[in-house]
Amino acid sequence: MEHEMAYDMQGKSYPVTDFKDDYSGEKFGFWVFLLTEAMMFGVLFLLFSVYFYRHSEIFAISSGELNIWLGGINTVILLLSTYTMGLASLMMRQNKIRTSAILVGVTALMAVVFLGIKGVEWSIDIHHGIYPGSGILDVMDKGKILFFGLYFVMTGLHGLHVIVGIALMCWVLLLIRFGGIRPEHTIVMKNVTLYWDFVHLIWIVLFPLFYMIGV
Amino acid sequence: MPSFYHETQTVFGTHKNPVLQWIFTIDHKRIALLYMGVMFTLFFFAVSAAVTMRAELFFPGQQFLQPHTYNELFTFHGVTMIFLFIVPGIAAALGNFMLPLMIGARDLSFPRLNLLSWWLYILGVVTALSSLMTGNGFADTGWTFYAPYSIRTDAHVLSTLSAAFILGLSSILTGLNFVVTIHRLRAPGMDFFKMPLFVWGLYATAWIQVLATPVVGITLLLVILERTLGVGIFDPTKGGDPILYEHLFWIYSHPAVYLMILPGFGIISEVLPVFTRRTIFGYRSIAISSASIAGIGYLVWGHHMFTSGMSDLARIIFSLLTFLVAIPTGVKIFDWIATLYKGSIILATPMLWILGSIINFTVGGLTGLTLGAIGADIHLHDTYFVVAHFHYTILGGVVFMFIGGLHYWYPKITGKLYDEFRGRIAFGLMFVGFNLLWFPMFIAGFLGNPRRYFDYLPTFTPFHQVAGVGAVLVASGLLLVLYNFYRGLKEGKEAGANPWNGTTLEWHIPSPPPLENFSKIPYVDFDPYEYENGEPIVQFDENFRRVR
Amino acid sequence: MLAGFNQNASTFAADVDRAFWISVGISAMMFILVVGLMLFFIVRYHSSRVKPEEIRNIKHYAPLEIAWTVIPTILLFIIFYYGYSAFRELRTMPKDAFTVEVLGKRWSWTFIYPNGKKSTELYVPAGENISLRLHAPVDDVLHSFYVPAFRVKEDVVPGRENHLWFKSDVVGRYDVECAEYCGTGHSRMLSKVEVMEKTAFDAWYASDKLSPHDKGAPKEEGEVLYQTLGCSACHSLDGSIIVGPSFKGIFGEKVRVLTSGKLRELVVDEAYIRDSVRTPAKDVVEGFGEGIMPNLSDQIDKQQMEAIIEFIKKQSRPQNKAVSQEAVKSVEAPALSTQPKQQGPLDGAALFNTKGCVGCHSLDGSKRIGPSLKGIYQSRQKVVTEGKLREIIADESYLRNSIQNPNADVVEGFKSGLMPPFGKMLSPEEIDALVKYLRSIK
Ligand code: HEA
Ligand code: HEA
Ligand code: CUA
Ligand SMILES: [Cu+2]
């Protein structure tokens, strides 16, 4: 389609941006969306720091109870998965559609493994009676209740984002399959990659907060 | 030319069925009307709750309500007015309609997202209202949902909280849409300082929606988790700190009050030049003050917590910062007054509402300063003085501006004219009634009548009775406004494209506008409010080439 | 008039009012300026008076714009300053004050004086600094202590202590209101402050009267408690329902209660009353909300509990004497009858898992929040007792004491205060069972 033009009094022409297929607009919009996400997690980090300040010793003790190995493996997995996702995005632009699709699949698979490990961690804690509202946790020190309250809320919310991420990747795969994402039309893929970077970034902050302050 | 009432696009392409055409439309103008319709309806419920409260308060002692019912009523009133009516308010209704028209765009950047916002809004409305029918009745926490009360009460807080959460999401998406639209879709040539001031108001508002709403969203979510799972972040029995809840709530809800008023300020800046037939005074300072109000507005939330028990130093700092907001607000007010100077003032109905709102808002804003003066607020906090303050700013300010805007753009939206005479009578009723209703409450508050009191000490009887009379006047004025709009639709004269001699882009297209607003996008290399001898300067030919 | 509003009842009321009126005065000036100009312009430049050629499109006028930025800024600082100076006075707590503890709870106030006296209205001597320490029970909600006549207000927040002070030279009675929304009884959470001559105050303070206005003999303890603890805010004595059930004639009657969601019928006896007060959420009377009645256990000792029970019994006496006989019998039934059924000997392992021990103590030697309990019995332990390190052998009495009163001997390397004292939470039988279990862990 030819680009629409607007004309001034002298007849000079200026290109018009339309709301349809506005690549920069869609990218910018997604950045704004990520900003809202950042604000939301920001609040939780703020709460964490306030309570950490008030109960630092017990937070450290409680942190020592988490399994740093499982958390560490998960960190590595997420790190790798952002890499594969980024690569997928790159491959798409280089017209290597199949490789790109495979890489998205691999990313989604890693996300599933991440969730699996997270699930194991949670179930160990829950098995020990450590979960919000449990009779066991509620008679413990306040700092501990808060630490685990925040732990479950924050990793839970992050986990939710991972689940959404997996759904998005499946969607990306479908779009690739049916031509919704093409080397010359990658905005959805770009944004999903951006999203995944963000999810990974959140984890990079969560990990030291919960797993490493006790070391 | 067929208007947008005759044809539309939906998410599914096209539909024959008019109902489906409406509820699945992706045309920003139809979505705006959808918002307006639902808001009107809800607004009616919330006003009924208010009038019921006023009736109960007419005499001291218990009349016909249980204390618990009264608590549910003001919560319902507050929640509906704030979260369902005034926060989406001007932006989602008038802003949605006017923003693309005013910047020369064919729609918002993300029309489908816009529809999604509306559907989320409806979901929020349904969730909120469902608690009237289910569980233990509507929440009884007040619109602030302070922990730990909101954790302990056995009223149906969950659904109200979830509703507020969903509405927050809707509001974020609208804000995001507006931000991107304003950045990307301005007509060629229109830089930021050539945008109409209403757009500036919407722009500042949109950033507040995007940056502040997630804070309250996650906070309410935490209260939900607290009630369902017992997480304990705000529950003192588990080590949580209720004051942190207050902080997080007000970090959103203070900026939210500017989110309500900034589009309203924008309306004032639109209406004034048109009905004084001259350029606005201080365009740039009005535009920049919108942005700085939004910015400073983030730093003052603590003034709602002067008695909460936070540290004395923090209270003093918040008090100091609070006063800073008044400076850009004052600049705006003075600019508007200066705009009247050497103009040619036409007291048409929109102008009356706007001038009335400036008077009311000045009272509301100035009493806000009294509340910001920390020593005085210790005494005034949580009394009717505060309630009067915010009804002056919200009802006397924002709602008056809203109604003014509705009158102003009524011809553009409907293509018809309303009846001037009826419009002026309605304004008179509301203006007098409003001041009768809320002025006495300043005095009652200063004398120590706390808010959220189902019953009061007999001392305060006269104040509440005057207020009761005022409430009746206000409600009848409101009905007259609605009746006037209704009759205008039925029998109003054709308005034509530009009945008021406006200068901004929306007045250059037919009323009601066609489906995608502009057949050709104009090139905009002129300031928004340019008059010469009382006539608009800029004119376009039918191809949107500028001829003058 | 609100009682005493205009009397400058507290020493700083005048300063608060000055801050208020200065702000209102400046505001009124600005209002007159803004609205006056507006009305003048509307009349002067009305379209009927202005020809189109006379319209002036003025866009800027820098001097004016600077003026209306700078002058308001100065005025605003003036308002701030007076607000601040009044505030500083309100918040500078005097050192030599008569300190009263204020307990705000749904929906009544209790005032506790240094000598342990309690009252429902606040009585203070004139001309002395009075400092208030504001508390709420931790499972209660926010309240706010507000005396309009004194211009003071401060929230009462569960889980923390807030402060307030005032000094009044004017003898009189002033209203106390709750200014932070706290539920159904919010508007009825009222009381009075009475400022008394020092001599009158001292006389009352030394007496055992509930209020200086009581004529005749002091009330008996149960009734005083009924008033001061705030039971009266929710439970009437005349059969009417305020928020909770009336106490009239309940003793010995059948009530229907919800116990963890199940409806069952009980007879109101002493044990039931005791439970109703100690753990109100356990049996909730049908038709009333759970979580409304505050848990005031910390405020009530054993002897006071008996007085309350006696008082409630008295509300039923005229009608049925026979029933109380029966009730006396039922006291002999185990006091813990409503606790989870205890069939056979208690299972220590189960208790260890359900009471939260496993959360902190492993059995395999690994360190968690607390030391591992592997092979604890008869092992040597280094503990800190009252700041001194000593070595002991973990015998049975040590184990029992460590459960009941863990902070007495703190194992070296661990922090005091981490383990909650289970003495109050577990019955002696349960503790025995736990000790037995711990002995068996090798
Ligand atoms: C549209 C909504 C709106 C707006 C615009 C405002 C504007 C302001 N508000 Fe208001 N406010 C509310 C809505 C709003 N408020 C609500 C809803 C609550 C209560 C919430 C609840 O508890 O339920 C509240 C409560 C509230 C409090 C808390 C009171 C308490 O609970 O104890 C305070 C305290 O500082 C305050 C201050 C202010 C100030 C300083 C402004 C300023 O922005 C005002 C600035 C404007 C002017 C000052 C007037 C014009 C200026 C001039 C003419 C210039 C020159 C003037 C001078 C030099 C004096 N507000
Ligand atoms: C938008 C905000 C808004 C509006 C408009 C109103 C309007 C009114 N309110 Fe308001 N009120 C609140 C927000 C609002 N209120 C809030 C937040 C609280 C605090 C709740 C709490 O404590 O938690 C409160 C509390 C409150 C109380 C105090 C309760 C207490 O503390 O005990 C009372 C008492 O009388 C009261 C009365 C009224 C009355 C009589 C009106 C009437 O005057 C209403 C008449 C209506 C109009 C004059 C407006 C006309 C508007 C239009 C025509 C617009 C058209 C609409 C569309 C185009 C969609 N309100
Ligand atoms: Cu206690 Cu309101
Ligand atoms: Cu505010």
Side-chain angles (χ1 to χ4, degrees):
Chain A
M1 202 186 86
E2 212 178 301
H3 214 97
E4 186 182 347
M5 292 292 172
Y7 298 92
D8 66 10
M9 282 205 323
Q10 285 73 43
K12 251 181 89 186
S13 64
Y14 302 85
V16 171
T17 319
D18 198 32
F19 68 93
K20 291 167 195 142
D21 291 324
D22 177 17
Y23 178 82
S24 318
E26 285 171 34
K27 219 164 108 187
F28 177 52
F30 205 78
W31 274 104
V32 177
F33 170 73
L34 288 185
L35 202 60
T36 68
E37 292 269 61
M39 290 300 292
M40 193 170 80
F41 276 102
V43 167
L44 292 173
F45 288 130
L46 198 80
L47 282 171
F48 186 93
S49 29
V50 171
Y51 286 130
F52 181 40
Y53 175 74
R54 290 190 195 168
H55 304 268
S56 28
E57 254 173 81
I58 296 176
F59 266 42
I61 295 173
S62 313
S63 162
E65 273 173 66
L66 294 176
N67 191 325
I68 192 163
W69 286 105
L70 293 180
I73 292 173
N74 258 349
T75 311
V76 174
I77 291 178
L78 267 196
L79 208 82
L80 281 177
S81 76
T82 40
Y83 178 68
T84 50
M85 191 66 206
L87 214 57
S89 203
L90 212 73
M91 288 298 147
M92 177 56 72
R93 265 191 300 169
Q94 294 178 1
N95 219 344
K96 295 181 184 147
I97 301 181
R98 230 187 109 69
T99 326
S100 173
I102 291 172
L103 282 169
V104 174
V106 171
T107 312
L109 220 63
M110 284 199 252
V112 172
V113 174
F114 174 92
L115 283 180
I117 294 179
K118 193 84 243 164
V120 170
E121 265 193 272
W122 272 31
S123 58
I124 292 175
D125 289 331
I126 292 172
H127 197 72
H128 283 197
I130 308 268
Y131 55 89
S134 87
I136 294 177
L137 186 59
D138 281 354
V139 294
M140 291 188 189
D141 187 90
K142 303 239 162 105
K144 212 169 172 210
I145 305 180
L146 289 170
F147 180 85
F148 281 101
L150 285 165
Y151 168 73
F152 279 100
V153 169
M154 288 168 81
T155 55
L157 194 68
H158 179 263
L160 209 66
H161 278 75
V162 174
I163 294 174
V164 170
I166 295 173
L168 284 175
M169 283 164 206
C170 296
W171 184 52
V172 165
L173 284 178
L174 280 179
L175 283 180
I176 294 180
R177 174 84 183 69
F178 294 104
I181 296 178
R182 301 177 297 278
E184 66 279 5
H185 184 86
T186 55
I187 180 67
V188 176
M189 191 145 176
K190 268 222 107 80
N191 282 345
V192 172
T193 310
L194 207 58
Y195 173 84
W196 197 244
D197 276 347
F198 176 80
V199 171
H200 155 251
L201 206 70
I202 292 292
W203 181 259
I204 294 293
V205 188
L206 282 182
F207 178 69
L209 283 190
F210 283 109
Y211 294 82
M212 283 164 61
I213 53 175
V215 180
Chain B
M1 195 188 286
S3 78
F4 76 97
Y5 291 103
H6 299 107
E7 46 180 5
T8 191
Q9 285 154 348
T10 72
V11 259
F12 306 119
T14 45
H15 281 290
K16 283 262 147 48
N17 183 325
V19 175
L20 297 182
Q21 270 188 2
W22 274 96
I23 63 176
F24 291 126
T25 184
I26 51 173
D27 178 6
H28 68 99
K29 299 182 286 303
R30 286 200 177 211
I31 294 173
L33 293 180
L34 288 175
Y35 269 113
M36 240 181 255
V38 181
M39 275 159 54
F40 253 121
T41 318
L42 290 168
F43 185 75
F44 173 79
F45 286 123
V47 171
S48 315
V51 174
T52 316
M53 284 192 290
R54 274 281 136 232
E56 167 65 40
L57 292 174
F58 202 78
F59 296 105
Q62 184 172 0
Q63 317 312 320
F64 55 94
L65 290 176
Q66 292 298 320
H68 182 69
T69 321
Y70 180 86
N71 296 346
E72 289 180 341
L73 268 178
F74 72 66
T75 306
F76 174 75
H77 170 77
V79 167
T80 310
M81 284 293 192
I82 299 283
F83 291 110
L84 302 184
F85 172 63
I86 209 80
V87 165
I90 299 182
L94 286 173
N96 225 332
F97 199 105
M98 290 301 157
L99 171 61
L101 302 185
M102 294 179 105
I103 61 173
R106 298 209 167 92
D107 207 315
L108 295 178
S109 274
F110 311 114
R112 283 155 211 268
L113 197 65
N114 198 16
L115 182 65
L116 179 66
S117 294
W118 184 75
W119 273 106
L120 284 174
Y121 172 69
I122 293 299
L123 184 64
V125 170
V126 171
T127 316
L129 297 186
S130 72
S131 64
L132 289 172
M133 263 71 82
T134 58
N136 285 330
F138 203 80
D140 64 343
T141 56
W143 78 283
T144 47
F145 301 113
Y146 271 14
Y149 188 75
S150 55
I151 304 172
R152 310 240 192 280
T153 172
D154 58 356
H156 206 20
V157 188
L158 268 186
S159 78
T160 319
L161 285 170
S162 323
F165 181 78
I166 299 169
L167 292 164
L169 202 59
S170 153
S171 172
I172 290 175
L173 295 182
T174 306
L176 188 156
N177 217 338
F178 281 14
V179 169
V180 177
T181 306
I182 293 171
H183 272 267
R184 297 290 308 160
L185 298 186
R186 278 167 290 123
M190 180 187 272
D191 60 32
F192 266 79
F193 286 107
K194 291 199 174 66
M195 296 193 310
L197 288 165
F198 184 51
V199 177
W200 267 102
L202 292 174
Y203 184 63
T205 302
W207 274 115
I208 300 179
Q209 284 177 311
V210 166
L211 290 178
T213 320
V215 177
V216 80
I218 187 74
T219 308
L220 298 181
L221 191 68
L222 284 173
V223 179
I224 292 176
L225 292 177
E226 200 110 355
R227 282 184 72 92
T228 49
L229 303 176
V231 171
I233 313 253
F234 302 125
D235 184 345
T237 57
K238 301 189 177 186
D241 187 346
I243 294 187
L244 275 179
Y245 173 87
E246 295 180 28
H247 277 296
L248 293 179
F249 181 83
W250 289 115
I251 287 177
Y252 164 75
S253 293
H254 182 82
V257 310
Y258 297 118
L259 177 166
M260 304 166 196
I261 197 102
L262 285 172
F265 285 166
I267 293 178
I268 297 187
S269 309
E270 292 301 318
V271 173
L272 272 182
V274 170
F275 292 98
T276 51
R277 296 279 185 267
R278 55 155 288 181
T279 313
I280 196 146
F281 186 96
Y283 171 87
R284 263 175 197 255
S285 58
I286 295 183
I288 292 170
S289 65
S290 284
S292 42
I293 291 174
I296 303 171
Y298 274 101
L299 309 175
V300 308
W301 76 84
H303 66 210
H304 296 270
M305 301 164 59
F306 284 158
T307 68
S308 67
M310 74 176 159
S311 82
D312 290 344
L313 181 65
R315 300 188 211 191
I316 291 166
I317 292 171
F318 277 122
S319 171
L320 186 62
L321 289 173
T322 295
F323 287 97
L324 297 186
V325 194
I327 300 169
T329 316
V331 166
K332 270 185 168 357
I333 300 225
F334 293 123
D335 279 332
W336 291 327
I337 300 297
T339 303
L340 297 174
Y341 178 67
K342 299 216 165 163
S344 170
I345 297 167
I346 302 163
L347 290 178
T349 313
M351 185 69 168
L352 284 176
W353 283 100
I354 288 318
L355 293 172
S357 78
I358 295 180
I359 298 180
N360 291 338
F361 178 76
T362 306
V363 177
L366 292 169
T367 50
L369 297 179
T370 309
L371 290 170
I374 182 163
D377 184 68
I378 297 286
H379 173 57
L380 297 170
H381 171 70
D382 266 348
T383 64
Y384 263 94
F385 195 94
V386 177
V387 182
H389 155 68
F390 71 73
H391 281 90
Y392 260 90
T393 49
I394 301 188
L395 177 51
V398 184
V399 171
F400 270 49
M401 296 165 199
F402 196 172
I403 301 179
L406 283 175
H407 281 90
Y408 176 59
W409 281 304
Y410 183 86
K412 183 53 53 189
I413 296 171
T414 62
K416 301 281 178 58
L417 291 174
Y418 54 81
D419 183 78
E420 252 320 305
F421 179 71
R422 252 189 242 126
R424 290 180 197 189
I425 297 290
F427 166 76
L429 275 176
M430 283 269 285
F431 187 77
V432 173
F434 168 77
N435 281 290
L436 274 183
L437 168 56
W438 287 111
F439 199 80
M441 290 297 114
F442 282 126
I443 306 170
F446 175 64
L447 295 179
N449 189 1
R451 65 192 280 204
R452 295 170 174 175
Y453 262 34
F454 141 84
D455 188 9
Y456 47 86
L457 298 170
T459 324
F460 302 114
T461 315
F463 304 111
H464 286 280
Q465 296 194 337
V466 175
V469 174
V472 174
L473 288 185
V474 167
S476 44
L478 179 61
L479 289 178
L480 190 56
V481 170
L482 295 182
Y483 177 72
N484 193 19
F485 283 168
Y486 171 74
R487 291 308 294 245
L489 275 184
K490 293 269 151 199
E491 58 187 34
K493 287 201 282 288
E494 290 298 323
N498 192 358
W500 314 127
N501 259 342
T503 54
T504 38
L505 288 181
E506 80 270 28
W507 299 112
H508 293 284
I509 59 173
S511 327
L515 181 56
E516 285 197 339
N517 309 340
F518 296 91
S519 50
K520 288 266 190 318
I521 303 290
Y523 180 73
V524 182
D525 54 355
F526 47 87
D527 291 337
Y529 312 103
E530 293 293 323
Y531 283 94
E532 197 174 60
N533 295 336
E535 289 299 321
I537 294 179
V538 175
Q539 272 159 31
F540 292 104
D541 67 12
E542 61 279 10
N543 281 325
F544 280 104
R545 294 277 189 106
R546 198 175 152 189
V547 293
R548 202 171 88 96
Chain C
M1 258 302 107
L2 193 65
F5 188 79
N6 260 345
Q7 298 175 359
N8 281 343
S10 68
T11 44
F12 40 59
D15 293 299
V16 173
D17 282 5
R18 189 176 60 190
F20 177 82
W21 288 115
I22 281 178
S23 157
V24 170
I26 293 179
S27 297
M29 252 166 53
M30 292 316 280
F31 180 79
I32 291 170
L33 181 74
V34 167
V35 176
L37 272 179
M38 179 169 137
L39 295 179
F40 172 71
F41 287 161
I42 290 175
V43 175
R44 172 61 190 79
Y45 300 110
H46 189 264
S47 54
S48 59
R49 283 196 195 80
V50 183
K51 294 198 205 71
E53 319 76 85
E54 290 169 357
I55 299 178
R56 288 287 162 270
N57 288 304
I58 306 164
K59 288 188 174 176
H60 297 287
Y61 185 58
L64 206 56
E65 289 182 89
I66 292 171
W68 70 45
T69 313
V70 173
I71 296 173
T73 308
I74 296 169
L75 293 175
L76 290 169
F77 272 97
I78 295 177
I79 302 180
F80 167 74
Y81 174 76
Y82 282 98
Y84 161 75
S85 68
F87 178 73
R88 205 181 43 191
E89 217 176 326
L90 284 167
R91 301 299 304 171
T92 313
M93 302 292 155
K95 295 242 153 48
D96 55 335
F98 181 74
T99 306
V100 181
E101 230 174 284
V102 179
L103 185 72
K105 58 197 176 305
R106 278 176 286 175
W107 290 283
S108 61
W109 299 101
T110 304
F111 303 97
I112 305 158
Y113 300 81
N115 70 354
K117 210 170 164 54
K118 292 185 183 181
S119 67
T120 54
E121 293 181 344
L122 177 59
Y123 303 105
V124 295
E128 261 182 56
N129 294 330
I130 312 295
S131 151
L132 302 182
R133 294 167 48 200
L134 308 164
H135 292 281
V138 74
D139 57 353
D140 211 275
V141 300
L142 299 175
H143 304 278
S144 191
F145 183 83
Y146 179 30
V147 186
F150 295 171
R151 316 290 193 271
V152 292
K153 180 186 293 137
E154 184 81 3
D155 287 6
V156 183
V157 182
R160 69 148 65 209
E161 181 176 296
N162 281 351
H163 301 265
L164 187 73
W165 83 278
F166 62 84
K167 174 175 159 187
S168 174
D169 297 327
V170 187
V171 170
R173 273 167 78 76
Y174 307 100
D175 287 296
V176 174
E177 298 173 312
C178 174
E180 185 58 66
Y181 176 69
C182 53
T184 311
H186 172 54
S187 62
R188 302 239 162 98
M189 193 165 159
L190 308 172
S191 182
K192 295 270 183 203
V193 197
E194 183 158 338
V195 179
M196 304 163 73
E197 295 294 359
K198 180 90 172 103
T199 47
F201 175 80
D202 285 343
W204 168 76
Y205 193 53
S207 76
D208 48 6
K209 283 182 182 163
L210 178 56
S211 129
H213 306 288
D214 279 351
K215 302 267 164 2
K219 298 201 177 84
E220 51 181 285
E221 193 183 359
E223 185 171 358
V224 171
L225 286 168
Y226 167 75
Q227 299 283 356
T228 52
L229 286 172
C231 315
S232 58
C234 303
H235 299 286
S236 80
L237 302 179
D238 59 3
S240 66
I241 288 174
I242 308 174
V243 175
S246 172
F247 285 162
K248 182 179 177 190
I250 56 165
F251 196 83
E253 290 297 302
K254 294 204 177 86
V255 301
R256 290 158 69 83
V257 295
L258 279 166
T259 310
S260 39
K262 278 202 229 27
L263 201 63
R264 58 182 190 135
E265 207 170 67
L266 284 176
V267 173
V268 178
D269 54 22
E270 293 193 8
Y272 169 73
I273 294 181
R274 211 169 276 132
D275 269 2
S276 290
V277 177
R278 295 273 187 234
T279 49
K282 209 171 70 197
D283 303 311
V284 179
V285 182
E286 195 188 8
F288 293 90
E290 188 191 325
I292 294 178
M293 171 151 164
N295 189 335
L296 296 172
S297 295
D298 313 349
Q299 305 290 319
I300 304 172
D301 62 23
K302 259 209 171 103
Q303 182 203 341
Q304 291 171 324
M305 181 64 92
E306 295 316 309
I308 290 177
I309 293 174
E310 193 51 41
F311 176 72
I312 294 179
K313 272 186 189 169
K314 231 173 74 183
Q315 306 308 316
S316 311
R317 209 146 283 164
Q319 293 99 323
N320 38 17
K321 281 222 176 64
V323 190
S324 34
Q325 283 289 318
E326 203 180 283
V328 173
K329 250 185 267 155
S330 69
V331 183
E332 272 134 37
L336 293 158
S337 61
T338 38
Q339 295 255 323
K341 282 169 259 80
Q342 305 171 0
Q343 288 150 340
L346 282 162
D347 179 358
L351 285 169
F352 190 84
N353 283 318
T354 55
K355 295 292 178 185
C357 320
V358 303
C360 302
H361 301 285
S362 80
L363 298 176
D364 58 11
S366 66
K367 188 172 139 184
R368 289 197 192 151
I369 293 182
S372 173
L373 299 181
K374 183 179 177 193
I376 174 82
Y377 186 55
Q378 297 299 9
S379 67
R380 277 173 189 283
Q381 296 283 338
K382 283 195 175 144
V383 298
V384 179
T385 309
E386 294 176 342
K388 276 200 272 312
L389 192 68
R390 60 184 187 127
E391 200 171 271
I392 49 98
I393 305 259
D395 56 13
E396 217 176 290
S397 82
Y398 168 79
L399 288 180
R400 179 168 291 114
N401 194 38
S402 294
I403 298 174
Q404 282 175 329
N405 216 342
N407 299 324
D409 305 316
V410 179
V411 181
E412 196 194 8
F414 293 88
K415 231 180 119 237
S416 164
L418 273 183
M419 172 162 169
F422 280 90
K424 288 190 212 142
M425 291 173 232
L426 301 174
S427 68
E429 294 81 0
E430 285 171 319
I431 293 181
D432 282 336
L434 277 169
V435 171
K436 196 160 152 238
Y437 174 63
L438 290 183
R439 283 177 57 175
S440 71
I441 297 166
K442 289 284 146 20

